[in-house]
Amino acid sequence: MSGGDQGMTRQGALRLEYFIIGLGVFALLLIFQPFSLQLFAIGGVLVVIAGLVNNLLPLAQPGVPARSVVTAAMVVAMIFLIVVLVAIAAAHLYGVFFLKPPDPNTTAGKVQLATPPFWKQPLVWGIAAVAAVLAGIITAMNRARG
């Protein structure tokens, strides 16, 4: 990728395109290999990442500024994190409305009742913080551009 306002060169755009497609192919190879469950798990994560990165494929064109590719990648990541938060909240609400409450007389029920609610979990706050930081960076980049 070249600097300045010229954007990506033809070779840089082709490298980006090959990387995006290669990541998806590599992920599928890891999923369908018959040797290791760890490689299968890594392939499962890479398939999700490859699906998200695939949104950048239209930007793999000569002349597209690298800044546009980075901004689009941050927008895709931010949207993904927001969707994860909505999915966690929906799973919690499903449990509240459609499942019977835990029995406090059993060991499993005691464990479930002792677990803090989803909005107090560090993972949820970490995801929300990263999404907020990405939103701030995207806003700052857009203001700096003009």
Side-chain angles (χ1 to χ4, degrees), residues 52-142:
L52 293 169
V53 171
N54 208 28
N55 288 300
L56 303 177
L57 206 50
L59 297 176
Q61 300 290 331
V64 173
R67 181 182 183 124
S68 296
V69 177
V70 171
T71 302
M74 288 192 301
V75 168
V76 168
M78 181 185 66
I79 291 170
F80 176 71
L81 293 174
I82 291 170
V83 168
V84 167
L85 289 173
V86 170
I88 291 171
H92 172 74
L93 292 174
Y94 175 82
V96 167
F97 290 113
F98 297 111
L99 300 178
K100 67 178 187 173
D103 183 6
N105 298 324
T106 64
T107 304
K110 290 176 186 175
V111 170
Q112 289 175 352
L113 290 171
T115 304
F118 81 96
W119 62 86
K120 291 185 179 179
Q121 300 291 338
L123 173 68
V124 173
W125 285 104
I127 292 171
V130 171
V133 167
L134 284 173
I137 292 172
I138 293 166
T139 302
M141 288 176 67
N142 284 337

Side-chain angles (χ1 to χ4, degrees), residues 11 25-26 37 146:
Q11 185 179 14
V25 170
F26 181 64
L37 281 176

